[in-house]
């Protein structure tokens, strides 16, 4: 029997707009956490859930994808969702951040990865920042 291709929706696209590049990163983290954990059932406070992330990249789009993938890895490794990010160092090609959040018993949706495909971060002429990301689910 020959093979058949079946349409399947396997990604979530997210558009972000913020006055600063840091705001793009913060809003992207919140958006990703909303996909992972849209409910509040089974939440346990975990005041010790602080993680440090330090990254370097060629440009801000790659940095954003790498940042979110590292947050995603930490979320799965520790069964946590993160609501706060504090940047100790931040530029268009590098960052050092502390993320903190809470322990969860489960995730509502699985995200395999944040992809580089169509990842885009631009600053508009007016100074606002815009980004587009795709989550492989």
């Amino acid at each position: 029997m020959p093979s058949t291709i079946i349409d399947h929706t396997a990604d979530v696209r997210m558009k972000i707009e913020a006055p600063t590049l840091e705001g793009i990163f913060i809003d992207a983290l919140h958006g990703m956490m909303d996909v992972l954990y849209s409910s509040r059932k089974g939440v346990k406070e975990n005041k010790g859930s602080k993680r440090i992330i330090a990254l370097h990249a060629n440009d801000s789009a790659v940095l954003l994808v790498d940042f979110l993938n590292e947050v995603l890895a930490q979320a799965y490794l520790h069964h946590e969702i993160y609501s706060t990010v504090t940047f100790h160092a931040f530029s268009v090609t590098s960052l050092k951040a502390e993320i903190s959040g809470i322990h969860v018993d489960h995730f509502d949706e699985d995200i395999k990865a944040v992809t580089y495909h169509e990842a885009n971060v631009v600053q508009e002429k007016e100074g606002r920042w815009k980004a587009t990301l795709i989550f492989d689910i």
Side-chain angles (χ1 to χ4, degrees), residues 64-120:
L64 179 58
V65 171
D66 290 351
F67 171 69
L68 292 175
N69 277 319
E70 182 60 30
V71 171
L72 186 63
Q74 294 297 320
Y76 282 124
L77 181 64
H78 301 288
H79 278 264
E80 295 170 343
I81 57 168
Y82 303 103
S83 57
T84 305
V85 58
T86 303
F87 292 105
H88 299 291
F90 189 89
S91 74
V92 295
T93 59
S94 67
L95 63 80
K96 183 174 183 182
E98 180 179 280
I99 55 173
S100 59
I102 54 175
H103 180 268
V104 294
D105 294 327
H106 69 281
F107 296 107
D108 295 329
E109 180 72 63
D110 284 324
I111 298 174
K112 294 177 196 168
V114 183
T115 70
Y116 296 102
H117 178 69
E118 294 184 22
N120 191 25

